[in-house]
Amino acid sequence: MTGSMDLPAKGGFSFDLCRRNDMLEKKGLKLPGFRKTGTTIVGLVFQDGVVLGADTRATEGPIVADKNCEKIHFMAPNIYCCGAGTAADTEAVTDMVSSQLQLHRYATGRESRVVTALTLLKSHLFRYQGHVSAALVLGGVDCTGPHLHTVYPHGSTDTLPFATMGSGSLAAMSVFESKYKEGLTREEGIQLVAEAICAGIFNDLGSGSNVDVCVITKGKTEYLRNHQLPNPRTYVSSKGYSFTKGQTEVLSTKITQLKQTVEVAEGGDAMEE
Amino acid sequence: MSIFEYNGSAVVAMVGKNCFAIASDRRLGVQLQTIATDFQRVFKVHDKLYVGLSGLATDAQTLYQRLVFRHKLYQLREERDMKPETFASLVSALLYEKRFGPYFCQPIIAGLGDNNEPFICTMDCIGAKELAKDFVVSGTASESLYGACESMYKPNMEPEELFETVSQALMASVDRDCLSGWGGYVLIVTPTEVQERVVKGRMD
């Protein structure tokens, strides 16, 4: 134990608090819930590429922790990934695979392929046997064409023309099943994805707020953050609260001036010998 | 009872005009018994970066010590202070490393970044970052804090008004939570000075 503070850890998970946490659990203290992304995430393949969509609500139990979070993560300039499940897991796993893809691009000198990202994700998730709770919709366009895959927390994957994941997946899938057809144009694709996400936002309690859309085609990616805002805040009071100075009772005050950074003047006089 | 409710805590951070506020309650308890009324939950990392740690008090202190250690190493290597965004990534990585045996802490990070632009963020106990432009809350009183801050917050508040707003939101929320309260500690940081105040609250 004395050596553990000397160097920062080399990466990967560290299990040294597990025994203590087990002991606390046996004493009757419940483990906390993690922030989940509730979520509706979708993807579809259209004639020129792939469109991904996601809602923007992050929940902590029944409370909305973040009204406008980003669920469409960058993997490579031509590959993006939507994440549902435990928020920390989706962020960490997509960041990790994104770094591995960058290193691979440097080593090979080529654009990343979607199946590379897919294999890296599925092998990591399978290795942790579903304990890393990340359900992903991975989409991109590479030299072999447009691809869309879903990845489940235990490491299984599907390759599909249209896919939905998350708690709002049933609401979104119903929209896709009725309106999807092959060879959609870009506008039709974006319109359909936005409709599917809105179905999730309005019908699923775990999803809400705004619609994010990402359109990936050969050579070009457009990330339309907050493409639609169907839930504006309508109850804002025009006066708001205003507290007069001195309204709060203060017991003690301490004001510390911050040191100003010293600017060194260039080209001053040379020192005398 | 949840592990987060063992000690009780309330921490909030709010953005103002070229300044930010970070505030916490002062109670330390062991379940329903209070054992200290001057417990520190908001810690300084450097002049323009503060971290507030709610949740299990022992993990908050250990995590703070590890963070200060990492920041000091960074200062020695880079010969400068860490930017708030970088620090948030550091905290997130440190927490995610313990994904299957976590620290029972929810940190709130508040700092002034480039051009003295205020930055606040919070994370859950395994490092899922949530950046916000207005306010962030954590602790046992978080549900009340969400409600109070949502109604009392206004954008671009000057430091005096920001102090009043944060204090009123904090005091109102901890009064609705048995496990936090017993006064408040509010820090307002502007590019030129740091104002620390101890606010009087209900001692029950």
Side-chain angles (χ1 to χ4, degrees):
Chain A
M1 268 311 281
T2 48
S4 66
M5 278 295 275
D6 291 349
L7 290 167
K10 287 207 166 65
F13 292 122
S14 116
F15 295 93
D16 54 0
L17 291 178
C18 285
R19 193 185 283 168
R20 175 202 76 153
N21 292 0
D22 275 342
M23 178 275 290
L24 285 172
E25 217 180 339
K26 282 193 186 73
K27 290 208 165 169
L29 294 175
K30 283 197 328 279
L31 290 181
F34 304 133
R35 186 171 298 144
K36 294 198 170 292
T37 53
T39 302
T40 307
I41 48 175
V42 306
L44 62 71
V45 177
F46 70 107
Q47 70 187 21
D48 300 323
V50 166
V51 184
L52 299 172
D55 74 304
T56 59
R57 173 182 283 182
T59 53
E60 206 159 350
I63 306 291
V64 177
D66 193 351
K67 292 189 274 190
N68 204 4
C69 71
E70 282 187 32
K71 297 186 192 179
I72 304 186
H73 307 282
F74 172 90
M75 296 286 249
N78 58 324
I79 307 174
Y80 274 72
C81 183
C82 309
T86 301
D89 287 335
T90 58
E91 274 176 39
V93 96
T94 50
D95 277 349
M96 185 192 75
V97 171
S98 168
S99 313
Q100 287 178 332
L101 286 177
Q102 174 82 297
L103 287 169
H104 194 249
R105 280 201 293 285
Y106 284 136
T108 58
R110 291 182 172 86
E111 194 185 51
S112 297
R113 299 193 189 192
V114 183
V115 287
T116 317
L118 182 69
T119 310
L120 290 167
L121 285 167
K122 69 163 36 176
S123 31
H124 179 82
L125 292 174
F126 181 73
R127 195 159 61 236
Y128 287 95
Q129 288 290 296
H131 290 286
V132 175
S133 171
L136 311 164
V137 169
L138 175 72
V141 177
D142 55 30
C143 56
T144 51
H147 298 276
L148 180 70
H149 304 280
T150 51
V151 186
Y152 290 83
H154 286 263
S156 62
T157 59
D158 288 316
T159 306
L160 299 160
F162 57 93
T164 65
M165 294 280 264
S167 55
S169 61
L170 271 65
M173 187 53 93
S174 62
V175 173
F176 274 175
E177 286 286 5
S178 30
K179 296 189 182 174
Y180 180 82
K181 58 185 199 296
E182 290 193 11
L184 290 165
T185 63
R186 186 176 178 274
E187 284 64 38
E188 286 173 344
I190 295 178
Q191 165 67 15
L192 187 57
V193 158
E195 232 181 288
I197 298 289
C198 282
I201 286 173
F202 292 119
N203 300 107
D204 172 44
L205 300 179
S207 317
S209 297
N210 315 120
V211 180
D212 281 353
V213 172
C214 185
V215 186
I216 310 174
T217 51
K218 189 158 186 60
K220 189 168 127 149
T221 307
E222 265 179 83
Y223 183 21
L224 307 167
R225 169 86 170 134
N226 288 353
H227 172 68
Q228 278 183 9
L229 295 105
N231 292 302
R233 196 174 155 184
T234 52
Y235 52 88
V236 191
S237 138
S238 52
K239 279 192 299 180
Y241 280 85
S242 54
F243 301 107
T244 51
K245 188 172 170 190
Q247 196 166 346
T248 313
E249 267 195 78
V250 174
L251 290 173
S252 68
T253 309
K254 178 172 137 182
I255 300 187
T256 324
Q257 299 295 329
L258 290 179
K259 291 192 288 278
Q260 298 297 329
T261 48
V262 177
E263 292 295 322
V264 178
E266 298 282 323
D269 293 334
M271 271 169 46
E272 298 199 355
E273 298 262 338
Chain B
M1 176 174 262
S2 153
I3 285 180
F4 277 109
E5 292 168 12
Y6 187 74
N7 291 130
S9 52
V11 186
V12 59
M14 222 184 248
V15 163
K17 190 169 183 191
N18 289 333
C19 63
F20 68 85
I22 182 165
S24 75
D25 72 319
R26 306 187 81 210
R27 177 183 178 270
L28 175 69
V30 168
Q31 292 180 318
L32 295 176
Q33 182 185 31
T34 305
I35 54 176
T37 58
D38 57 358
F39 189 66
Q40 187 188 9
R41 284 197 175 88
V42 174
F43 302 100
K44 180 173 118 160
V45 176
H46 64 75
D47 278 341
K48 290 183 180 171
L49 180 58
Y50 287 79
V51 64
L53 294 161
S54 69
L56 196 65
T58 168
D59 279 352
Q61 290 185 331
T62 305
L63 190 60
Y64 164 66
Q65 286 165 4
R66 283 186 196 256
L67 290 171
V68 154
F69 166 67
R70 295 291 295 266
H71 182 253
K72 284 185 175 171
L73 273 181
Y74 183 93
Q75 275 179 322
L76 287 170
R77 287 195 192 114
E78 302 255 335
E79 296 182 1
R80 64 181 176 90
D81 290 332
M82 227 187 233
K83 281 190 231 182
E85 294 83 2
T86 315
F87 187 72
S89 294
L90 170 68
V91 180
S92 179
L94 233 65
L95 292 173
Y96 193 72
E97 209 181 8
K98 305 261 186 275
R99 165 67 173 89
F100 299 115
Y103 286 115
F104 298 119
C105 272
Q106 282 173 320
I108 282 187
I109 292 144
L112 289 175
D114 292 334
N115 301 324
N116 291 321
E117 190 71 38
F119 170 88
I120 53 172
C121 106
T122 183
M123 5 192 129
D124 69 352
C125 61
I126 46 174
K129 255 188 294 194
E130 182 213 319
L131 308 168
K133 294 196 173 54
D134 39 18
F135 58 86
V136 288
V137 304
S138 89
T140 49
S142 61
E143 291 178 28
S144 307
L145 277 164
Y146 274 125
C149 293
E150 189 81 51
S151 34
M152 295 185 192
Y153 174 78
K154 280 189 297 219
N156 288 329
M157 284 187 279
E158 295 292 332
E160 287 86 32
E161 204 192 342
L162 182 65
F163 166 70
E164 298 292 333
T165 308
V166 155
S167 313
Q168 292 290 331
L170 180 68
M171 290 296 111
S173 309
V174 303
D175 285 349
R176 281 287 185 180
D177 176 33
C178 309
L179 298 166
S180 50
W182 294 77
Y185 173 78
V186 183
L187 252 154
I188 310 282
V189 180
T190 65
T192 48
E193 63 178 15
V194 171
Q195 304 167 7
E196 296 169 46
R197 289 190 184 83
V198 174
V199 172
K200 182 172 162 148
R202 285 172 63 141
M203 305 302 265
D204 61 354

